[in-house]
Amino acid sequence: MANVGKTVRPQPRWVTAWFIVDAFVALAPPLYWAFDGVGTPVLGIPAAVLYFVAVSTCIATSIVAAYAAEVRNGDAL
């Protein structure tokens, strides 16, 4: 109950925009179809695997950036 009476500030707009882009990239089926592995591998890795690794890295980075923004604002636990 340490946060009782504490005001919650909204996330900065750039964090919200980054999350929206993450959701679109992770959930948009046309992007999956474009990287379905039929094309040439990139650095010896199938394009679909490389795509999923890149998307998961981008999502993880956005979560860390959102936490850093909260710490900078003094809102982190």
Side-chain angles (χ1 to χ4, degrees):
M1 300 303 281
N3 292 339
V4 173
K6 185 175 181 181
T7 60
V8 177
R9 293 182 217 145
Q11 286 284 357
R13 289 182 190 243
W14 63 269
V15 172
T16 304
W18 196 350
F19 284 163
I20 290 170
V21 169
D22 284 344
F24 177 75
V25 170
L27 299 175
L31 293 176
Y32 293 151
W33 298 330
F35 292 101
D36 63 356
V38 175
T40 306
V42 179
L43 299 174
I45 302 170
V49 173
L50 187 64
Y51 171 76
F52 286 118
V53 169
V55 168
S56 62
T57 302
C58 185
I59 291 171
T61 306
S62 68
I63 292 169
V64 171
Y67 178 74
E70 284 186 358
V71 168
R72 194 176 324 119
N73 291 335
D75 293 337
L77 294 176

